[in-house]
Amino acid sequence: MAKDTTKIVEELGLCSDFKTFYNENKEYMVKGDLSQLLDELIIKHNLKKSQVIRAAEMSEVYAYQIFSGLRVPERKKLLCIAIAMGLTLDEAQTLLKSAGYSTLYVKLPFDSVVLYGICKKLSVVEINEILYEYGLETLG
């Protein structure tokens, strides 16, 4: 069962020592293995890598390198994968964190468009059209 981030932060502030806090919360920590997380999400959502790659509008070679762990994509490419997989907002944010990127922040124009697209289940192309319409850099 997942634990809300706010609850974990609250527990961190109240703990007497870090070791106890960590042992009680390590199952909720982001592991940081991007390719493993991608594989888990592919299985969870019953997807095929080939269909995700097509929907992400990415080069097959580059995308398979990401899935195999040979490359860490730039943030925008990882967002394309998240969108193509139809991830929930929480799953997309976790994916970003696992690669060491900042999560989507609604007060940033680019991020707000991507957030909107994820929440409305828009495609990469549809999100790029909105980004372009507002003069923002596209996902690629």
Side-chain angles (χ1 to χ4, degrees), residues 60-79:
E60 281 187 43
V61 173
Y62 180 62
Y64 279 111
Q65 289 174 341
I66 294 167
F67 281 106
S68 68
L70 293 174
R71 295 187 87 156
V72 176
E74 63 182 65
R75 184 175 185 258
K76 291 192 306 179
K77 295 297 182 189
L78 194 54
L79 286 168

Side-chain angles (χ1 to χ4, degrees), residues 50-95:
S50 59
Q51 74 184 121
V52 171
I53 292 167
R54 275 192 302 281
E57 303 278 325
M58 294 175 72
S59 151
E60 281 187 43
V61 173
Y62 180 62
Y64 279 111
Q65 289 174 341
I66 294 167
F67 281 106
S68 68
L70 293 174
R71 295 187 87 156
V72 176
E74 63 182 65
R75 184 175 185 258
K76 291 192 306 179
K77 295 297 182 189
L78 194 54
L79 286 168
C80 287
I81 291 172
I83 293 161
M85 292 175 81
L87 299 183
T88 65
L89 181 55
D90 285 342
E91 290 170 332
Q93 299 285 46
T94 298
L95 194 61

Side-chain angles (χ1 to χ4, degrees), residues 39-54:
D39 285 341
E40 290 170 8
L41 290 167
I42 288 278
I43 292 166
K44 177 182 176 183
H45 290 278
N46 196 28
L47 300 167
K48 292 185 179 357
K49 289 178 186 174
S50 59
Q51 74 184 121
V52 171
I53 292 167
R54 275 192 302 281

